[in-house]
Amino acid sequence: MTSTNIKGFGALAAAAAIVLAGCATSPEPRHTASTPYYTPTARSDERLEAQASAFESFMHKASGIDASFSGPGEVSQALQTGASHEPKQFEAGMIAYAAMAALQEPGFVAGVQRASRDRDLANRLTANPELATDLPGGDAAAARANAALFRQGEALADDGQKVKRAAYSVQHQAWSKARVPDPAGRLSRVKRLSTVSYQASAGDEARMRGAVAQGGRRGGATSPVVARGVALAALSVLGQSDRGRALMSEPRTAMCLRMAKLNLYQCLASAGPHYEDIFCLGQHAMIDPGQCVVEATKAPTHRMVATKASYRR
């Protein structure tokens, strides 16, 4: 089969294209690492760090997939790596990761500490997370969270493009044109991996902390995901991070991630030879979720501009 056959998979990505439309943005400068300013220490914050680590761990492993495939075993292993995230946990981890990045903004942490005299602040942040950017340093914290998420999403999408291109270049190797054995079993394994919760490994938390400490700010209107991350960071400073459970999902992002996973299943169900599995991996297990993360940094274009509310009563 030739690369022309791969074009038939474009129909499988049609639904995702609607959700992911407009995801691409201009590359931002890479930022140098800096020392973390603030790390949550309360026992109630352990869950926040674990959720952020789950997100960073998947992004790190998936971005590390080597596009130089030399046999079916490597394709199978890479596919398992790319499929090994549960969408709801991925989304919650994304927001927790944004919160961890926001906590690296000194002015924001100090501002929340000063505002802690407002006993109703936690209630209002939980009810309306966008108020978090009105706190002192809130805009800068949002810009940090935006940059941190954008870096992760852009990297995964870029690496996914390399894998997707390999679906074409690998066809000069005879093994790539052989049909995948037991395709139904392969699809079942991928679906099973997509429901398995994250299991921490040594070094995950340290790597996550280093990643969010890279710094850098990325401007623009605050997206719902970034706002939730900043509000969650504020609740952490207030010692009430448990209140943030209601902030760990956002409808637009949840739909994007579900569509990415669904399109992966549909692609694999239609795939025949190994090179088509590579295509499915690159497009739907890497590019699509990477673009979902990038999209999560952008405010919806249909939202009406409103007067910014104050966090004060």
Side-chain angles (χ1 to χ4, degrees), residues 192-271:
R192 185 169 60 252
L193 284 169
S194 300
T195 64
V196 175
S197 297
Y198 160 75
Q199 299 295 320
S201 299
D204 283 359
E205 188 174 290
R207 192 179 58 246
M208 180 276 295
R209 290 183 179 182
V212 297
Q214 289 184 39
R217 297 171 180 167
R218 188 167 179 270
T222 303
S223 72
V225 163
V226 170
R228 282 165 168 75
V230 178
L232 188 59
L235 290 171
S236 177
V237 176
L238 295 172
Q240 300 191 50
S241 58
D242 284 344
R243 298 281 302 276
R245 292 182 182 179
L247 305 178
M248 305 307 288
S249 182
E250 189 278 316
R252 185 179 60 141
T253 302
M255 175 61 75
C256 188
L257 292 170
R258 285 197 299 270
M259 288 296 297
K261 190 67 82 169
L262 176 61
N263 279 322
L264 174 62
Y265 297 159
Q266 292 177 334
C267 188
L268 291 174
S270 301

Side-chain angles (χ1 to χ4, degrees), residues 95 108 112 118-133 135 224 227-250 310-311:
I95 295 172
F108 173 68
V112 175
D118 180 352
R119 296 185 180 277
D120 194 45
L121 178 56
N123 289 332
R124 295 202 308 284
L125 287 173
T126 304
N128 186 1
E130 293 186 358
L131 295 179
T133 59
L135 288 161
R228 282 165 168 75
V230 178
L232 188 59
L235 290 171
S236 177
V237 176
L238 295 172
Q240 300 191 50
S241 58
D242 284 344
R243 298 281 302 276
R245 292 182 182 179
L247 305 178
M248 305 307 288
S249 182
E250 189 278 316
S310 171
Y311 77 93

Side-chain angles (χ1 to χ4, degrees), residues 44-99:
S44 60
D45 290 316
E46 292 178 357
R47 178 180 174 84
L48 179 64
E49 290 194 304
Q51 289 173 309
S53 293
F55 170 77
E56 194 282 334
S57 177
F58 169 75
M59 299 297 278
H60 173 76
K61 292 175 181 176
S63 294
I65 292 174
D66 188 351
S68 302
F69 300 104
S70 60
E74 292 179 3
V75 176
S76 177
Q77 183 59 51
L79 189 56
Q80 292 182 56
T81 299
S84 60
H85 74 273
E86 195 280 318
K88 290 183 180 179
Q89 187 177 50
F90 184 95
E91 181 189 13
M94 184 193 313
I95 295 172
Y97 188 82

Side-chain angles (χ1 to χ4, degrees), residues 284-300:
H284 301 302
M286 298 176 71
I287 296 173
D288 286 1
Q291 289 182 333
C292 286
V293 176
V294 171
E295 178 73 4
T297 68
K298 297 159 48 180

